[in-house]
Amino acid sequence: MAEKKVLITGDRPTGKLHIGHYVGSLKNRVQMQNSGEYDPYIMIADKQAFTDNARDPEKVHRSVLEVALDYLAVGIDPQKSTIFIQTAVPELSELTEYFLNLVSIARLQRNPTVKTEIQQKGFGESIPAGFFIYPVSQAADIALFKGEVVPVGDDQEPMIEQTRELVRTFNRYYGADLLVEPTGVFPPKGQGRIPGLDGNAKMSKSLNNAIYMSDDEDTLWAKVKTMYTDPEHIRVTDPGHVEGNMVFTYLDIFDPDEDRVAELKAQYRAGGLGDMKIKKYLFEVLNAQLMPMRERRARYAQDPAAVMQMLADGSAKARQKAQATMQELRAAMGINYWN
Ligand code: ATP
Ligand code: MG
């Protein structure tokens, strides 16, 4: 049997996961996990969460369990995937430090995702140094596990590229084939960056514009109801625009019945299809997909101690693997003085 490929990815515990995470990354992960072709490592990136939440340790702490529950809800299976917490593997910080010497500040300044996030987060002149270098820490996460495939959303493309560069440099300096160049696995076109409810380019935990996978029916309806449509579509009989209309943007992504969506678009454009009616339809589509997740989540949420134990087991296994690789790397760097 062919060796299973190491899959690695993760999420920051900065809140519950949303439907953007689902289509952007979780869906691919679950499919890959179930294909049996991969050895998946799924990381709850608490260390990275601190890079822009240093003042809110309570939020990071609380969100670890929430993210773990979201994983279980979508079908990440601890029997098949190693789910672990980043800070439980301190070797990741060690490799980050060595990696930092292999990249210039100018190179880090060119990362387009970090640039956008710095603006969004309003850091101004006070960008936390840890935040600025987080792509390097992410590269260490991927490289230390010798990750070969990384299922992520479109915003992570520059991070994968940065990782490939760091791996190449590390191998050049300390020994060929020590670390592996990873490949990003991105969602189908148009699904790699789900826009927010407010029409913002990205649905994000930190921007308050998300539909969470755990939202109950009332919350879901309340959010869909207030979604941005077409401001010129005032009377039901008025012709409406579907471009830039969030309801249709979401239908394109979430409704598997493409013919039906095409029909609805035609009707909306011609006039005669009301916003409430189309929103009700979107609600039904989303609700049908979220219902089984909600139910599974509620079941696991009844026993948080068992979920934390699952994370402890996964973290112990992940640390063992990381320690083994770190030993190899130390030897290659000549810093294994006593053996
Ligand atoms: P934060 O605002 O705290 O950064 P986030 O919503 O960006 O949170 P992350 O934990 O940073 O979430 O990202 C986890 C994964 O989800 C990454 O692979 C990322 O590409 C993907 N992802 C995040 N937001 C979206 C989105 N709106 N559409 C598609 N994929 C997304
Ligand atoms: Mg993010």
PDB file of all heavy atoms in Angstrom, residues 172-201:
ATOM      1  N   ARG A 172      18.545  23.763   1.608  1.00  0.00           N
ATOM      2  CA  ARG A 172      19.792  24.154   0.949  1.00  0.00           C
ATOM      3  C   ARG A 172      20.909  24.348   1.980  1.00  0.00           C
ATOM      4  O   ARG A 172      22.039  23.934   1.785  1.00  0.00           O
ATOM      5  CB  ARG A 172      19.567  25.443   0.153  1.00  0.00           C
ATOM      6  CG  ARG A 172      20.702  25.755  -0.818  1.00  0.00           C
ATOM      7  CD  ARG A 172      20.305  26.751  -1.892  1.00  0.00           C
ATOM      8  NE  ARG A 172      20.122  28.079  -1.327  1.00  0.00           N
ATOM      9  CZ  ARG A 172      19.008  28.792  -1.392  1.00  0.00           C
ATOM     10  NH1 ARG A 172      17.944  28.314  -2.012  1.00  0.00           N
ATOM     11  NH2 ARG A 172      18.922  29.990  -0.856  1.00  0.00           N
ATOM     12  N   TYR A 173      20.577  24.959   3.110  1.00  0.00           N
ATOM     13  CA  TYR A 173      21.588  25.257   4.123  1.00  0.00           C
ATOM     14  C   TYR A 173      21.984  24.031   4.958  1.00  0.00           C
ATOM     15  O   TYR A 173      23.125  23.897   5.360  1.00  0.00           O
ATOM     16  CB  TYR A 173      21.096  26.341   5.089  1.00  0.00           C
ATOM     17  CG  TYR A 173      21.007  27.728   4.498  1.00  0.00           C
ATOM     18  CD1 TYR A 173      21.356  27.988   3.178  1.00  0.00           C
ATOM     19  CD2 TYR A 173      20.567  28.789   5.288  1.00  0.00           C
ATOM     20  CE1 TYR A 173      21.255  29.268   2.656  1.00  0.00           C
ATOM     21  CE2 TYR A 173      20.470  30.073   4.770  1.00  0.00           C
ATOM     22  CZ  TYR A 173      20.809  30.306   3.457  1.00  0.00           C
ATOM     23  OH  TYR A 173      20.711  31.566   2.951  1.00  0.00           O
ATOM     24  N   TYR A 174      21.000  23.183   5.249  1.00  0.00           N
ATOM     25  CA  TYR A 174      21.262  22.149   6.266  1.00  0.00           C
ATOM     26  C   TYR A 174      21.149  20.715   5.753  1.00  0.00           C
ATOM     27  O   TYR A 174      21.436  19.786   6.479  1.00  0.00           O
ATOM     28  CB  TYR A 174      20.333  22.343   7.474  1.00  0.00           C
ATOM     29  CG  TYR A 174      20.383  23.752   8.015  1.00  0.00           C
ATOM     30  CD1 TYR A 174      19.261  24.584   7.972  1.00  0.00           C
ATOM     31  CD2 TYR A 174      21.565  24.264   8.554  1.00  0.00           C
ATOM     32  CE1 TYR A 174      19.310  25.882   8.465  1.00  0.00           C
ATOM     33  CE2 TYR A 174      21.618  25.565   9.043  1.00  0.00           C
ATOM     34  CZ  TYR A 174      20.489  26.377   8.990  1.00  0.00           C
ATOM     35  OH  TYR A 174      20.546  27.647   9.458  1.00  0.00           O
ATOM     36  N   GLY A 175      20.702  20.534   4.544  1.00  0.00           N
ATOM     37  CA  GLY A 175      20.635  19.156   4.043  1.00  0.00           C
ATOM     38  C   GLY A 175      19.421  18.925   3.178  1.00  0.00           C
ATOM     39  O   GLY A 175      18.299  19.205   3.603  1.00  0.00           O
ATOM     40  N   ALA A 176      19.684  18.429   1.976  1.00  0.00           N
ATOM     41  CA  ALA A 176      18.589  18.170   1.036  1.00  0.00           C
ATOM     42  C   ALA A 176      17.604  17.184   1.655  1.00  0.00           C
ATOM     43  O   ALA A 176      17.976  16.348   2.464  1.00  0.00           O
ATOM     44  CB  ALA A 176      19.160  17.602  -0.260  1.00  0.00           C
ATOM     45  N   ASP A 177      16.348  17.324   1.293  1.00  0.00           N
ATOM     46  CA  ASP A 177      15.297  16.374   1.689  1.00  0.00           C
ATOM     47  C   ASP A 177      15.004  16.317   3.190  1.00  0.00           C
ATOM     48  O   ASP A 177      14.412  15.357   3.661  1.00  0.00           O
ATOM     49  CB  ASP A 177      15.623  14.957   1.197  1.00  0.00           C
ATOM     50  CG  ASP A 177      15.812  14.921  -0.308  1.00  0.00           C
ATOM     51  OD1 ASP A 177      15.174  15.749  -1.000  1.00  0.00           O
ATOM     52  OD2 ASP A 177      16.612  14.097  -0.783  1.00  0.00           O
ATOM     53  N   LEU A 178      15.453  17.311   3.947  1.00  0.00           N
ATOM     54  CA  LEU A 178      15.101  17.308   5.361  1.00  0.00           C
ATOM     55  C   LEU A 178      13.616  17.627   5.518  1.00  0.00           C
ATOM     56  O   LEU A 178      12.878  16.938   6.197  1.00  0.00           O
ATOM     57  CB  LEU A 178      15.901  18.389   6.102  1.00  0.00           C
ATOM     58  CG  LEU A 178      17.333  18.041   6.537  1.00  0.00           C
ATOM     59  CD1 LEU A 178      18.067  19.303   6.958  1.00  0.00           C
ATOM     60  CD2 LEU A 178      17.314  17.010   7.658  1.00  0.00           C
ATOM     61  N   LEU A 179      13.199  18.684   4.859  1.00  0.00           N
ATOM     62  CA  LEU A 179      11.804  19.121   4.945  1.00  0.00           C
ATOM     63  C   LEU A 179      11.142  18.984   3.578  1.00  0.00           C
ATOM     64  O   LEU A 179      11.814  18.888   2.553  1.00  0.00           O
ATOM     65  CB  LEU A 179      11.736  20.573   5.441  1.00  0.00           C
ATOM     66  CG  LEU A 179      12.275  20.809   6.857  1.00  0.00           C
ATOM     67  CD1 LEU A 179      12.294  22.294   7.195  1.00  0.00           C
ATOM     68  CD2 LEU A 179      11.448  20.037   7.892  1.00  0.00           C
ATOM     69  N   VAL A 180       9.811  19.006   3.580  1.00  0.00           N
ATOM     70  CA  VAL A 180       9.037  18.741   2.363  1.00  0.00           C
ATOM     71  C   VAL A 180       8.346  20.019   1.887  1.00  0.00           C
ATOM     72  O   VAL A 180       7.788  20.755   2.700  1.00  0.00           O
ATOM     73  CB  VAL A 180       7.956  17.670   2.658  1.00  0.00           C
ATOM     74  CG1 VAL A 180       7.146  17.358   1.413  1.00  0.00           C
ATOM     75  CG2 VAL A 180       8.590  16.406   3.226  1.00  0.00           C
ATOM     76  N   GLU A 181       8.374  20.273   0.589  1.00  0.00           N
ATOM     77  CA  GLU A 181       7.645  21.429   0.045  1.00  0.00           C
ATOM     78  C   GLU A 181       6.159  21.083  -0.062  1.00  0.00           C
ATOM     79  O   GLU A 181       5.799  20.157  -0.775  1.00  0.00           O
ATOM     80  CB  GLU A 181       8.173  21.778  -1.358  1.00  0.00           C
ATOM     81  CG  GLU A 181       9.307  22.766  -1.348  1.00  0.00           C
ATOM     82  CD  GLU A 181       9.688  23.189  -2.759  1.00  0.00           C
ATOM     83  OE1 GLU A 181       8.806  23.699  -3.488  1.00  0.00           O
ATOM     84  OE2 GLU A 181      10.852  22.994  -3.126  1.00  0.00           O
ATOM     85  N   PRO A 182       5.304  21.832   0.617  1.00  0.00           N
ATOM     86  CA  PRO A 182       3.874  21.490   0.612  1.00  0.00           C
ATOM     87  C   PRO A 182       3.133  22.042  -0.616  1.00  0.00           C
ATOM     88  O   PRO A 182       3.606  22.961  -1.276  1.00  0.00           O
ATOM     89  CB  PRO A 182       3.364  22.190   1.861  1.00  0.00           C
ATOM     90  CG  PRO A 182       4.236  23.403   1.975  1.00  0.00           C
ATOM     91  CD  PRO A 182       5.590  23.006   1.451  1.00  0.00           C
ATOM     92  N   THR A 183       1.987  21.452  -0.872  1.00  0.00           N
ATOM     93  CA  THR A 183       1.094  21.933  -1.926  1.00  0.00           C
ATOM     94  C   THR A 183      -0.217  22.374  -1.278  1.00  0.00           C
ATOM     95  O   THR A 183      -0.750  21.652  -0.433  1.00  0.00           O
ATOM     96  CB  THR A 183       0.757  20.779  -2.907  1.00  0.00           C
ATOM     97  OG1 THR A 183       1.960  20.125  -3.258  1.00  0.00           O
ATOM     98  CG2 THR A 183       0.029  21.276  -4.131  1.00  0.00           C
ATOM     99  N   GLY A 184      -0.721  23.528  -1.663  1.00  0.00           N
ATOM    100  CA  GLY A 184      -2.014  23.976  -1.149  1.00  0.00           C
ATOM    101  C   GLY A 184      -3.149  23.304  -1.914  1.00  0.00           C
ATOM    102  O   GLY A 184      -3.049  23.110  -3.118  1.00  0.00           O
ATOM    103  N   VAL A 185      -4.210  22.930  -1.208  1.00  0.00           N
ATOM    104  CA  VAL A 185      -5.410  22.400  -1.873  1.00  0.00           C
ATOM    105  C   VAL A 185      -6.514  23.421  -1.654  1.00  0.00           C
ATOM    106  O   VAL A 185      -6.933  23.656  -0.517  1.00  0.00           O
ATOM    107  CB  VAL A 185      -5.821  21.031  -1.296  1.00  0.00           C
ATOM    108  CG1 VAL A 185      -7.101  20.536  -1.939  1.00  0.00           C
ATOM    109  CG2 VAL A 185      -4.697  20.018  -1.481  1.00  0.00           C
ATOM    110  N   PHE A 186      -6.949  24.047  -2.749  1.00  0.00           N
ATOM    111  CA  PHE A 186      -7.913  25.136  -2.640  1.00  0.00           C
ATOM    112  C   PHE A 186      -9.293  24.686  -3.107  1.00  0.00           C
ATOM    113  O   PHE A 186      -9.406  23.774  -3.918  1.00  0.00           O
ATOM    114  CB  PHE A 186      -7.414  26.336  -3.449  1.00  0.00           C
ATOM    115  CG  PHE A 186      -6.076  26.833  -2.946  1.00  0.00           C
ATOM    116  CD1 PHE A 186      -4.900  26.412  -3.535  1.00  0.00           C
ATOM    117  CD2 PHE A 186      -6.011  27.671  -1.854  1.00  0.00           C
ATOM    118  CE1 PHE A 186      -3.663  26.834  -3.053  1.00  0.00           C
ATOM    119  CE2 PHE A 186      -4.785  28.105  -1.358  1.00  0.00           C
ATOM    120  CZ  PHE A 186      -3.618  27.688  -1.958  1.00  0.00           C
ATOM    121  N   PRO A 187     -10.333  25.321  -2.599  1.00  0.00           N
ATOM    122  CA  PRO A 187     -11.702  24.960  -2.986  1.00  0.00           C
ATOM    123  C   PRO A 187     -11.958  25.307  -4.449  1.00  0.00           C
ATOM    124  O   PRO A 187     -11.190  26.073  -5.048  1.00  0.00           O
ATOM    125  CB  PRO A 187     -12.584  25.802  -2.076  1.00  0.00           C
ATOM    126  CG  PRO A 187     -11.701  26.551  -1.183  1.00  0.00           C
ATOM    127  CD  PRO A 187     -10.310  26.435  -1.648  1.00  0.00           C
ATOM    128  N   PRO A 188     -13.061  24.756  -5.024  1.00  0.00           N
ATOM    129  CA  PRO A 188     -13.406  25.106  -6.399  1.00  0.00           C
ATOM    130  C   PRO A 188     -13.526  26.620  -6.552  1.00  0.00           C
ATOM    131  O   PRO A 188     -13.804  27.334  -5.590  1.00  0.00           O
ATOM    132  CB  PRO A 188     -14.764  24.452  -6.610  1.00  0.00           C
ATOM    133  CG  PRO A 188     -14.927  23.478  -5.506  1.00  0.00           C
ATOM    134  CD  PRO A 188     -14.028  23.865  -4.401  1.00  0.00           C
ATOM    135  N   LYS A 189     -13.320  27.084  -7.772  1.00  0.00           N
ATOM    136  CA  LYS A 189     -13.338  28.522  -8.054  1.00  0.00           C
ATOM    137  C   LYS A 189     -14.589  29.201  -7.482  1.00  0.00           C
ATOM    138  O   LYS A 189     -15.686  28.678  -7.580  1.00  0.00           O
ATOM    139  CB  LYS A 189     -13.291  28.732  -9.570  1.00  0.00           C
ATOM    140  CG  LYS A 189     -12.735  30.075  -9.967  1.00  0.00           C
ATOM    141  CD  LYS A 189     -12.500  30.110 -11.484  1.00  0.00           C
ATOM    142  CE  LYS A 189     -12.765  31.462 -12.095  1.00  0.00           C
ATOM    143  NZ  LYS A 189     -12.481  32.625 -11.274  1.00  0.00           N
ATOM    144  N   GLY A 190     -14.382  30.343  -6.864  1.00  0.00           N
ATOM    145  CA  GLY A 190     -15.518  31.083  -6.308  1.00  0.00           C
ATOM    146  C   GLY A 190     -15.872  30.678  -4.887  1.00  0.00           C
ATOM    147  O   GLY A 190     -16.722  31.281  -4.252  1.00  0.00           O
ATOM    148  N   GLN A 191     -15.243  29.613  -4.369  1.00  0.00           N
ATOM    149  CA  GLN A 191     -15.597  29.165  -3.021  1.00  0.00           C
ATOM    150  C   GLN A 191     -14.439  29.311  -2.044  1.00  0.00           C
ATOM    151  O   GLN A 191     -14.531  28.869  -0.907  1.00  0.00           O
ATOM    152  CB  GLN A 191     -16.058  27.708  -3.063  1.00  0.00           C
ATOM    153  CG  GLN A 191     -17.217  27.520  -4.011  1.00  0.00           C
ATOM    154  CD  GLN A 191     -17.869  26.155  -3.867  1.00  0.00           C
ATOM    155  OE1 GLN A 191     -17.554  25.388  -2.989  1.00  0.00           O
ATOM    156  NE2 GLN A 191     -18.802  25.876  -4.759  1.00  0.00           N
ATOM    157  N   GLY A 192     -13.368  29.925  -2.488  1.00  0.00           N
ATOM    158  CA  GLY A 192     -12.186  30.010  -1.643  1.00  0.00           C
ATOM    159  C   GLY A 192     -12.182  31.227  -0.741  1.00  0.00           C
ATOM    160  O   GLY A 192     -11.347  31.350   0.147  1.00  0.00           O
ATOM    161  N   ARG A 193     -13.108  32.132  -1.004  1.00  0.00           N
ATOM    162  CA  ARG A 193     -13.197  33.329  -0.166  1.00  0.00           C
ATOM    163  C   ARG A 193     -14.649  33.760  -0.124  1.00  0.00           C
ATOM    164  O   ARG A 193     -15.115  34.521  -0.956  1.00  0.00           O
ATOM    165  CB  ARG A 193     -12.326  34.433  -0.728  1.00  0.00           C
ATOM    166  CG  ARG A 193     -12.320  35.667   0.148  1.00  0.00           C
ATOM    167  CD  ARG A 193     -11.445  36.726  -0.443  1.00  0.00           C
ATOM    168  NE  ARG A 193     -10.215  36.118  -0.940  1.00  0.00           N
ATOM    169  CZ  ARG A 193      -9.002  36.619  -0.779  1.00  0.00           C
ATOM    170  NH1 ARG A 193      -8.849  37.744  -0.166  1.00  0.00           N
ATOM    171  NH2 ARG A 193      -7.951  36.018  -1.264  1.00  0.00           N
ATOM    172  N   ILE A 194     -15.354  33.287   0.886  1.00  0.00           N
ATOM    173  CA  ILE A 194     -16.779  33.601   0.998  1.00  0.00           C
ATOM    174  C   ILE A 194     -16.902  35.020   1.550  1.00  0.00           C
ATOM    175  O   ILE A 194     -16.312  35.332   2.578  1.00  0.00           O
ATOM    176  CB  ILE A 194     -17.472  32.598   1.950  1.00  0.00           C
ATOM    177  CG1 ILE A 194     -17.156  31.151   1.536  1.00  0.00           C
ATOM    178  CG2 ILE A 194     -18.961  32.838   2.021  1.00  0.00           C
ATOM    179  CD1 ILE A 194     -17.508  30.807   0.130  1.00  0.00           C
ATOM    180  N   PRO A 195     -17.675  35.876   0.856  1.00  0.00           N
ATOM    181  CA  PRO A 195     -17.835  37.244   1.374  1.00  0.00           C
ATOM    182  C   PRO A 195     -18.704  37.269   2.625  1.00  0.00           C
ATOM    183  O   PRO A 195     -19.449  36.336   2.892  1.00  0.00           O
ATOM    184  CB  PRO A 195     -18.527  37.970   0.216  1.00  0.00           C
ATOM    185  CG  PRO A 195     -19.149  36.924  -0.626  1.00  0.00           C
ATOM    186  CD  PRO A 195     -18.392  35.645  -0.395  1.00  0.00           C
ATOM    187  N   GLY A 196     -18.592  38.348   3.377  1.00  0.00           N
ATOM    188  CA  GLY A 196     -19.370  38.484   4.603  1.00  0.00           C
ATOM    189  C   GLY A 196     -20.809  38.903   4.337  1.00  0.00           C
ATOM    190  O   GLY A 196     -21.141  39.368   3.249  1.00  0.00           O
ATOM    191  N   LEU A 197     -21.658  38.757   5.337  1.00  0.00           N
ATOM    192  CA  LEU A 197     -23.065  39.151   5.245  1.00  0.00           C
ATOM    193  C   LEU A 197     -23.209  40.612   4.851  1.00  0.00           C
ATOM    194  O   LEU A 197     -24.173  41.018   4.214  1.00  0.00           O
ATOM    195  CB  LEU A 197     -23.734  38.985   6.609  1.00  0.00           C
ATOM    196  CG  LEU A 197     -24.060  37.570   7.052  1.00  0.00           C
ATOM    197  CD1 LEU A 197     -24.497  37.584   8.502  1.00  0.00           C
ATOM    198  CD2 LEU A 197     -25.133  36.989   6.165  1.00  0.00           C
ATOM    199  N   ASP A 198     -22.236  41.421   5.246  1.00  0.00           N
ATOM    200  CA  ASP A 198     -22.258  42.853   4.998  1.00  0.00           C
ATOM    201  C   ASP A 198     -21.711  43.207   3.621  1.00  0.00           C
ATOM    202  O   ASP A 198     -21.567  44.377   3.288  1.00  0.00           O
ATOM    203  CB  ASP A 198     -21.419  43.571   6.060  1.00  0.00           C
ATOM    204  CG  ASP A 198     -20.005  42.986   6.173  1.00  0.00           C
ATOM    205  OD1 ASP A 198     -19.711  42.009   5.455  1.00  0.00           O
ATOM    206  OD2 ASP A 198     -19.211  43.504   6.968  1.00  0.00           O
ATOM    207  N   GLY A 199     -21.364  42.173   2.827  1.00  0.00           N
ATOM    208  CA  GLY A 199     -20.799  42.435   1.507  1.00  0.00           C
ATOM    209  C   GLY A 199     -19.285  42.631   1.544  1.00  0.00           C
ATOM    210  O   GLY A 199     -18.652  42.757   0.510  1.00  0.00           O
ATOM    211  N   ASN A 200     -18.693  42.616   2.750  1.00  0.00           N
ATOM    212  CA  ASN A 200     -17.222  42.691   2.876  1.00  0.00           C
ATOM    213  C   ASN A 200     -16.610  41.508   2.144  1.00  0.00           C
ATOM    214  O   ASN A 200     -17.182  40.432   2.076  1.00  0.00           O
ATOM    215  CB  ASN A 200     -16.828  42.649   4.363  1.00  0.00           C
ATOM    216  CG  ASN A 200     -15.327  42.843   4.591  1.00  0.00           C
ATOM    217  OD1 ASN A 200     -14.500  42.100   4.093  1.00  0.00           O
ATOM    218  ND2 ASN A 200     -14.996  43.872   5.346  1.00  0.00           N
ATOM    219  N   ALA A 201     -15.406  41.735   1.602  1.00  0.00           N
ATOM    220  CA  ALA A 201     -14.772  40.718   0.766  1.00  0.00           C
ATOM    221  C   ALA A 201     -14.562  39.377   1.454  1.00  0.00           C
ATOM    222  O   ALA A 201     -14.406  38.366   0.815  1.00  0.00           O
ATOM    223  CB  ALA A 201     -13.441  41.240   0.245  1.00  0.00           C
TER     224      ALA A 201
END
